[in-house]
Amino acid sequence: MKLKRLTRAAVLAAMALGIFIVELQLPNLTPIPGVKLGLANIVTVFSMFLLGPANTLAILLTRILLGSLFSGQVMALAYSLAGGLLCYLLMLLLRKLLTMKQIWVCGVLGAVAHNLGQMAVAVVVTGTPAILVYLPVLMVSGIAAGLFTGLCAQFAVGRLEHTSLFK
Amino acid sequence: MRTRSWIILIGALLLVSLAFCFLLLGRGASGTVANIYQNGVCVRSIDLSAVTESFTFTVSDGARENVIEVAPGRIRVLEADCPDQVCVHAGWLADSAAPIVCLPHRLVIRIETSAKAADGIDTVSQ
């Protein structure tokens, strides 16, 4: 069922991209770069547990590359890639540790890892370590936003894992 | 791991982060000199306490521009041609330890105790 797998991954990538672009239209709540909901994380967590690591990596990279092109924020590509890949690596590990009832944890820690990766690149790119004062704020916002997206993924997985789509 | 262990782990992470938030940002800035960094190099230093009249100037690296407004005791990014406008929405920076950051333009404005620019305090503003 190669076609089914491909279609599933493509639909999820399109969903992630749509969510990402819509979220960009929301105004920033804080003057701190990097504080955001990260709603596309729902798709990453969901696919990590229902589609597996290979599909998830493809979905994630598609969303990041096309997302930065579609939004015109090509400058932000380095931040997104660093955050996305660090988040992905941590999720690979968490996938082995978490039960299907603990998927939300993956959302929280994934968001924190994402913000850490972004911050690391921001320090290197700006050459100004002083912006590290925002790291704790990014950790708190990552935990809060990750809890939300993680729970969304948890509920979505709960509803869909026994349907014929994901057998 | 049990769910309770994960909750404790995340709760601890949250508490430590919150503590550092207050530690790092709760106190104000210690100086009155606004240092403007681009690509990690301080391009201009302005003693905000010596400013008597508002003025604006542009920081440019050739292609990208931030228009910066300086007023007595405070500084802000008035305009920028970056896509996210986070630096503009940050508003005035006066005595806070939280810097203004424009990531797309690699620009950071911080309040510090001493001038970090190569040519010292900007004399135009005196």
Side-chain angles (χ1 to χ4, degrees):
Chain A
M1 288 302 280
K2 209 179 162 207
L3 187 64
K4 186 175 175 182
R5 295 178 62 87
L6 181 67
T7 313
R8 234 167 26 188
V11 168
L12 281 173
M15 267 174 60
L17 192 56
I19 293 172
F20 178 78
I21 300 290
V22 167
E23 190 188 328
L24 278 179
Q25 311 308 315
L26 303 175
N28 287 315
L29 291 175
T30 64
I32 303 169
V35 173
K36 57 184 284 187
L37 261 172
L39 291 176
N41 193 34
I42 299 172
V43 176
T44 313
V45 176
F46 179 88
S47 121
M48 201 59 161
F49 283 86
L50 286 192
L51 270 65
N55 278 305
T56 305
L57 186 61
I59 293 168
L60 185 68
L61 289 178
T62 306
R63 192 258 297 167
I64 291 174
L65 293 176
L66 290 182
S68 96
L69 279 177
F70 287 2
S71 63
Q73 303 201 356
V74 183
M75 299 283 295
L77 184 60
Y79 306 112
S80 298
L81 265 182
L85 289 179
L86 196 63
C87 167
Y88 177 79
L89 289 176
L90 184 71
M91 283 188 184
L92 276 183
L93 179 72
L94 288 173
R95 195 170 163 268
K96 303 274 179 207
L97 297 175
L98 298 174
T99 66
M100 289 305 265
K101 297 270 174 226
Q102 300 171 333
I103 290 171
W104 60 273
V105 174
C106 195
V108 177
L109 297 181
V112 169
H114 182 277
N115 285 359
L116 279 175
Q118 256 187 338
M119 187 46 122
V121 172
V123 168
V124 173
V125 164
T126 61
T128 316
I131 59 174
L132 279 174
V133 297
Y134 283 138
L135 184 59
V137 183
L138 282 173
M139 300 279 286
V140 174
S141 90
I143 291 171
L147 187 61
F148 178 72
T149 54
L151 284 171
C152 287
Q154 178 83 65
F155 293 135
V157 168
R159 291 291 173 94
L160 290 170
E161 67 176 323
H162 299 301
T163 61
S164 59
L165 269 176
F166 296 97
K167 282 259 164 66
Chain B
M1 262 165 84
R2 290 169 58 200
T3 301
R4 179 180 291 180
S5 316
W6 287 110
I7 293 174
I8 292 171
L9 179 77
I10 292 168
L13 197 63
L14 182 67
L15 283 179
V16 170
S17 304
L18 274 175
F20 271 99
C21 280
F22 287 109
L23 217 67
L24 291 175
L25 299 171
R27 65 189 165 86
S30 40
T32 58
V33 180
N35 286 316
I36 297 147
Y37 297 87
Q38 188 160 46
N39 294 313
V41 180
C42 184
V43 291
R44 195 155 167 169
S45 298
I46 298 160
D47 187 352
L48 296 178
S49 62
V51 175
T52 50
E53 243 174 84
S54 298
F55 63 96
T56 62
F57 63 93
T58 304
V59 177
S60 168
D61 70 344
R64 304 170 292 215
E65 289 189 345
N66 292 68
V67 179
I68 291 165
E69 180 178 8
V70 180
R74 55 189 194 158
I75 186 167
R76 70 167 167 174
V77 179
L78 187 63
E79 277 173 39
D81 53 5
C82 59
D84 59 19
Q85 300 290 305
V86 167
C87 53
V88 177
H89 293 140
W92 291 103
L93 174 61
D95 54 2
S96 164
I100 296 177
V101 182
C102 181
L103 271 192
H105 293 186
R106 299 162 188 184
L107 182 106
V108 177
I109 304 177
R110 275 186 90 194
I111 307 286
E112 290 170 284
T113 44
S114 61
K116 296 282 161 60
D119 52 358
I121 292 273
D122 198 302
T123 45
V124 180
S125 60
Q126 303 299 310

